[in-house]
PDB file of all heavy atoms in Angstrom:
ATOM      1  N   GLU G 473     -19.634   8.425  -7.882  1.00 98.00           N
ATOM      2  CA  GLU G 473     -20.208   8.001  -9.122  1.00 98.00           C
ATOM      3  C   GLU G 473     -19.487   6.660  -9.621  1.00 98.00           C
ATOM      4  O   GLU G 473     -19.992   5.767 -10.122  1.00 98.00           O
ATOM      5  CB  GLU G 473     -20.359   9.109 -10.198  1.00 98.00           C
ATOM      6  CG  GLU G 473     -21.363  10.036  -9.845  1.00 98.00           C
ATOM      7  CD  GLU G 473     -22.688   9.472  -9.652  1.00 98.00           C
ATOM      8  OE1 GLU G 473     -23.108   8.548 -10.350  1.00 98.00           O
ATOM      9  OE2 GLU G 473     -23.381   9.901  -8.639  1.00 98.00           O
ATOM     10  N   GLY G 474     -18.106   6.824  -9.612  1.00 98.00           N
ATOM     11  CA  GLY G 474     -17.270   5.723 -10.043  1.00 98.00           C
ATOM     12  C   GLY G 474     -17.512   4.396  -9.270  1.00 98.00           C
ATOM     13  O   GLY G 474     -17.525   3.332  -9.872  1.00 98.00           O
ATOM     14  N   ALA G 475     -17.688   4.575  -7.986  1.00 98.00           N
ATOM     15  CA  ALA G 475     -17.846   3.388  -7.139  1.00 98.00           C
ATOM     16  C   ALA G 475     -19.242   2.766  -7.587  1.00 98.00           C
ATOM     17  O   ALA G 475     -19.317   1.546  -7.555  1.00 98.00           O
ATOM     18  CB  ALA G 475     -17.779   3.752  -5.635  1.00 98.00           C
ATOM     19  N   ARG G 476     -20.229   3.695  -7.730  1.00 98.00           N
ATOM     20  CA  ARG G 476     -21.498   3.060  -8.129  1.00 98.00           C
ATOM     21  C   ARG G 476     -21.413   2.299  -9.452  1.00 98.00           C
ATOM     22  O   ARG G 476     -21.965   1.207  -9.500  1.00 98.00           O
ATOM     23  CB  ARG G 476     -22.496   4.312  -8.233  1.00 98.00           C
ATOM     24  CG  ARG G 476     -23.009   4.890  -6.960  1.00 98.00           C
ATOM     25  CD  ARG G 476     -24.336   5.629  -7.143  1.00 98.00           C
ATOM     26  NE  ARG G 476     -24.652   6.191  -5.770  1.00 98.00           N
ATOM     27  CZ  ARG G 476     -24.599   7.468  -5.533  1.00 98.00           C
ATOM     28  NH1 ARG G 476     -24.487   8.448  -6.486  1.00 98.00           N
ATOM     29  NH2 ARG G 476     -24.783   7.905  -4.255  1.00 98.00           N
ATOM     30  N   LEU G 477     -20.716   2.882 -10.324  1.00 98.00           N
ATOM     31  CA  LEU G 477     -20.636   2.162 -11.670  1.00 98.00           C
ATOM     32  C   LEU G 477     -19.933   0.928 -11.618  1.00 98.00           C
ATOM     33  O   LEU G 477     -20.248  -0.053 -12.111  1.00 98.00           O
ATOM     34  CB  LEU G 477     -19.896   3.193 -12.718  1.00 98.00           C
ATOM     35  CG  LEU G 477     -19.522   2.530 -14.061  1.00 98.00           C
ATOM     36  CD1 LEU G 477     -20.785   2.219 -14.805  1.00 98.00           C
ATOM     37  CD2 LEU G 477     -18.660   3.539 -14.902  1.00 98.00           C
ATOM     38  N   ALA G 478     -18.748   0.962 -10.847  1.00 98.00           N
ATOM     39  CA  ALA G 478     -17.970  -0.298 -10.730  1.00 98.00           C
ATOM     40  C   ALA G 478     -18.818  -1.380 -10.035  1.00 98.00           C
ATOM     41  O   ALA G 478     -18.776  -2.567 -10.454  1.00 98.00           O
ATOM     42  CB  ALA G 478     -16.716  -0.020  -9.817  1.00 98.00           C
ATOM     43  N   HIS G 479     -19.489  -1.003  -9.018  1.00 98.00           N
ATOM     44  CA  HIS G 479     -20.344  -1.963  -8.257  1.00 98.00           C
ATOM     45  C   HIS G 479     -21.351  -2.578  -9.174  1.00 98.00           C
ATOM     46  O   HIS G 479     -21.684  -3.756  -9.158  1.00 98.00           O
ATOM     47  CB  HIS G 479     -20.966  -1.329  -7.111  1.00 98.00           C
ATOM     48  CG  HIS G 479     -21.909  -2.264  -6.177  1.00 98.00           C
ATOM     49  ND1 HIS G 479     -21.326  -3.101  -5.511  1.00 98.00           N
ATOM     50  CD2 HIS G 479     -23.081  -2.295  -6.103  1.00 98.00           C
ATOM     51  CE1 HIS G 479     -22.272  -3.888  -4.889  1.00 98.00           C
ATOM     52  NE2 HIS G 479     -23.397  -3.377  -5.197  1.00 98.00           N
ATOM     53  N   SER G 480     -21.916  -1.724 -10.016  1.00 98.00           N
ATOM     54  CA  SER G 480     -23.054  -2.183 -10.962  1.00 98.00           C
ATOM     55  C   SER G 480     -22.445  -3.185 -11.933  1.00 98.00           C
ATOM     56  O   SER G 480     -23.242  -3.973 -12.481  1.00 98.00           O
ATOM     57  CB  SER G 480     -23.703  -0.995 -11.661  1.00 98.00           C
ATOM     58  OG  SER G 480     -22.925  -0.549 -12.706  1.00 98.00           O
ATOM     59  N   LEU G 481     -21.148  -2.970 -12.205  1.00 98.00           N
ATOM     60  CA  LEU G 481     -20.434  -3.870 -13.199  1.00 98.00           C
ATOM     61  C   LEU G 481     -19.959  -5.132 -12.554  1.00 98.00           C
ATOM     62  O   LEU G 481     -19.198  -5.942 -13.214  1.00 98.00           O
ATOM     63  CB  LEU G 481     -19.394  -3.149 -13.932  1.00 98.00           C
ATOM     64  CG  LEU G 481     -19.770  -2.029 -14.824  1.00 98.00           C
ATOM     65  CD1 LEU G 481     -18.546  -1.100 -15.268  1.00 98.00           C
ATOM     66  CD2 LEU G 481     -20.510  -2.477 -16.030  1.00 98.00           C
ATOM     67  N   GLY G 482     -20.152  -5.352 -11.178  1.00 98.00           N
ATOM     68  CA  GLY G 482     -19.731  -6.576 -10.559  1.00 98.00           C
ATOM     69  C   GLY G 482     -18.324  -6.560 -10.013  1.00 98.00           C
ATOM     70  O   GLY G 482     -17.790  -7.479  -9.588  1.00 98.00           O
ATOM     71  N   LEU G 483     -17.766  -5.254 -10.005  1.00 98.00           N
ATOM     72  CA  LEU G 483     -16.361  -5.180  -9.479  1.00 98.00           C
ATOM     73  C   LEU G 483     -16.364  -4.920  -7.979  1.00 98.00           C
ATOM     74  O   LEU G 483     -17.156  -4.177  -7.549  1.00 98.00           O
ATOM     75  CB  LEU G 483     -15.591  -3.936 -10.220  1.00 98.00           C
ATOM     76  CG  LEU G 483     -15.344  -4.108 -11.739  1.00 98.00           C
ATOM     77  CD1 LEU G 483     -15.134  -2.768 -12.326  1.00 98.00           C
ATOM     78  CD2 LEU G 483     -14.155  -5.035 -11.856  1.00 98.00           C
ATOM     79  N   GLN G 484     -15.385  -5.512  -7.313  1.00 98.00           N
ATOM     80  CA  GLN G 484     -15.076  -5.156  -5.845  1.00 98.00           C
ATOM     81  C   GLN G 484     -14.382  -3.799  -5.917  1.00 98.00           C
ATOM     82  O   GLN G 484     -13.557  -3.529  -6.718  1.00 98.00           O
ATOM     83  CB  GLN G 484     -14.211  -6.224  -5.323  1.00 98.00           C
ATOM     84  CG  GLN G 484     -13.824  -5.878  -3.866  1.00 98.00           C
ATOM     85  CD  GLN G 484     -12.925  -6.946  -3.255  1.00 98.00           C
ATOM     86  OE1 GLN G 484     -13.122  -8.101  -3.267  1.00 98.00           O
ATOM     87  NE2 GLN G 484     -11.869  -6.322  -2.594  1.00 98.00           N
ATOM     88  N   VAL G 485     -14.853  -2.988  -5.040  1.00 98.00           N
ATOM     89  CA  VAL G 485     -14.331  -1.539  -5.044  1.00 98.00           C
ATOM     90  C   VAL G 485     -13.502  -1.292  -3.890  1.00 98.00           C
ATOM     91  O   VAL G 485     -13.925  -1.383  -2.719  1.00 98.00           O
ATOM     92  CB  VAL G 485     -15.468  -0.539  -5.005  1.00 98.00           C
ATOM     93  CG1 VAL G 485     -14.828   0.892  -5.110  1.00 98.00           C
ATOM     94  CG2 VAL G 485     -16.414  -0.781  -6.256  1.00 98.00           C
ATOM     95  N   ASN G 486     -12.038  -1.220  -4.089  1.00 98.00           N
ATOM     96  CA  ASN G 486     -11.152  -0.724  -3.011  1.00 98.00           C
ATOM     97  C   ASN G 486     -10.818   0.696  -3.309  1.00 98.00           C
ATOM     98  O   ASN G 486     -11.169   1.224  -4.347  1.00 98.00           O
ATOM     99  CB  ASN G 486      -9.929  -1.588  -3.045  1.00 98.00           C
ATOM    100  CG  ASN G 486     -10.190  -3.102  -2.753  1.00 98.00           C
ATOM    101  OD1 ASN G 486     -11.329  -3.432  -2.197  1.00 98.00           O
ATOM    102  ND2 ASN G 486      -9.300  -3.914  -2.988  1.00 98.00           N
ATOM    103  N   ALA G 487     -10.126   1.307  -2.364  1.00 98.00           N
ATOM    104  CA  ALA G 487      -9.817   2.700  -2.548  1.00 98.00           C
ATOM    105  C   ALA G 487      -8.356   2.956  -1.850  1.00 98.00           C
ATOM    106  O   ALA G 487      -8.163   2.334  -0.836  1.00 98.00           O
ATOM    107  CB  ALA G 487     -10.833   3.705  -2.188  1.00 98.00           C
ATOM    108  N   GLY G 488      -7.638   3.807  -2.360  1.00 98.00           N
ATOM    109  CA  GLY G 488      -6.370   4.151  -1.665  1.00 98.00           C
ATOM    110  C   GLY G 488      -5.593   5.343  -2.257  1.00 98.00           C
ATOM    111  O   GLY G 488      -5.911   5.664  -3.321  1.00 98.00           O
ATOM    112  N   HIS G 489      -4.719   5.823  -1.469  1.00 97.00           N
ATOM    113  CA  HIS G 489      -3.912   6.961  -1.719  1.00 97.00           C
ATOM    114  C   HIS G 489      -4.154   8.205  -1.010  1.00 97.00           C
ATOM    115  O   HIS G 489      -5.290   8.759  -1.266  1.00 97.00           O
ATOM    116  CB  HIS G 489      -3.514   7.216  -3.227  1.00 97.00           C
ATOM    117  CG  HIS G 489      -2.160   7.484  -3.613  1.00 97.00           C
ATOM    118  ND1 HIS G 489      -1.625   8.626  -3.384  1.00 97.00           N
ATOM    119  CD2 HIS G 489      -1.195   6.611  -3.853  1.00 97.00           C
ATOM    120  CE1 HIS G 489      -0.266   8.572  -3.671  1.00 97.00           C
ATOM    121  NE2 HIS G 489      -0.088   7.390  -4.029  1.00 97.00           N
ATOM    122  N   GLY G 490      -3.367   8.583  -0.179  1.00 97.00           N
ATOM    123  CA  GLY G 490      -3.478   9.996   0.481  1.00 97.00           C
ATOM    124  C   GLY G 490      -4.484   9.937   1.696  1.00 97.00           C
ATOM    125  O   GLY G 490      -4.797  11.041   2.159  1.00 97.00           O
ATOM    126  N   ILE G 491      -5.034   8.896   2.032  1.00 98.00           N
ATOM    127  CA  ILE G 491      -5.991   8.753   3.101  1.00 98.00           C
ATOM    128  C   ILE G 491      -5.341   8.988   4.487  1.00 98.00           C
ATOM    129  O   ILE G 491      -4.360   8.373   4.793  1.00 98.00           O
ATOM    130  CB  ILE G 491      -6.873   7.494   3.046  1.00 98.00           C
ATOM    131  CG1 ILE G 491      -7.489   7.363   1.718  1.00 98.00           C
ATOM    132  CG2 ILE G 491      -7.880   7.410   4.096  1.00 98.00           C
ATOM    133  CD1 ILE G 491      -8.232   6.053   1.476  1.00 98.00           C
ATOM    134  N   HIS G 492      -5.903   9.838   5.236  1.00 98.00           N
ATOM    135  CA  HIS G 492      -5.487  10.042   6.711  1.00 98.00           C
ATOM    136  C   HIS G 492      -6.605  10.335   7.565  1.00 98.00           C
ATOM    137  O   HIS G 492      -7.779  10.402   7.152  1.00 98.00           O
ATOM    138  CB  HIS G 492      -4.313  11.076   6.708  1.00 98.00           C
ATOM    139  CG  HIS G 492      -4.692  12.478   6.098  1.00 98.00           C
ATOM    140  ND1 HIS G 492      -5.741  13.278   6.650  1.00 98.00           N
ATOM    141  CD2 HIS G 492      -4.326  13.147   4.970  1.00 98.00           C
ATOM    142  CE1 HIS G 492      -5.801  14.312   5.945  1.00 98.00           C
ATOM    143  NE2 HIS G 492      -5.053  14.282   4.899  1.00 98.00           N
ATOM    144  N   LEU G 493      -6.192  10.577   8.940  1.00 98.00           N
ATOM    145  CA  LEU G 493      -7.267  10.623   9.919  1.00 98.00           C
ATOM    146  C   LEU G 493      -8.113  11.986   9.605  1.00 98.00           C
ATOM    147  O   LEU G 493      -9.293  11.949   9.912  1.00 98.00           O
ATOM    148  CB  LEU G 493      -6.607  10.889  11.295  1.00 98.00           C
ATOM    149  CG  LEU G 493      -5.954   9.639  11.853  1.00 98.00           C
ATOM    150  CD1 LEU G 493      -5.212   9.906  13.156  1.00 98.00           C
ATOM    151  CD2 LEU G 493      -7.018   8.553  12.031  1.00 98.00           C
ATOM    152  N   GLY G 494      -7.634  12.987   8.810  1.00 97.00           N
ATOM    153  CA  GLY G 494      -8.362  14.156   8.661  1.00 97.00           C
ATOM    154  C   GLY G 494      -9.335  14.055   7.420  1.00 97.00           C
ATOM    155  O   GLY G 494     -10.219  14.995   7.278  1.00 97.00           O
ATOM    156  N   ASN G 495      -9.159  13.079   6.533  1.00 98.00           N
ATOM    157  CA  ASN G 495     -10.063  13.087   5.394  1.00 98.00           C
ATOM    158  C   ASN G 495     -10.918  11.735   5.389  1.00 98.00           C
ATOM    159  O   ASN G 495     -11.683  11.484   4.387  1.00 98.00           O
ATOM    160  CB  ASN G 495      -9.284  13.231   4.176  1.00 98.00           C
ATOM    161  CG  ASN G 495      -8.293  12.302   3.870  1.00 98.00           C
ATOM    162  OD1 ASN G 495      -8.231  11.086   4.396  1.00 98.00           O
ATOM    163  ND2 ASN G 495      -7.170  12.695   3.163  1.00 98.00           N
TER     164      ASN G 495
END
Side-chain angles (χ1 to χ4, degrees):
E473 287 307 318
R476 286 200 182 113
L477 173 63
H479 181 71
S480 75
L481 295 170
L483 290 159
Q484 177 182 310
V485 182
N486 295 347
H489 220 276
I491 301 173
H492 54 67
L493 291 173
N495 59 26

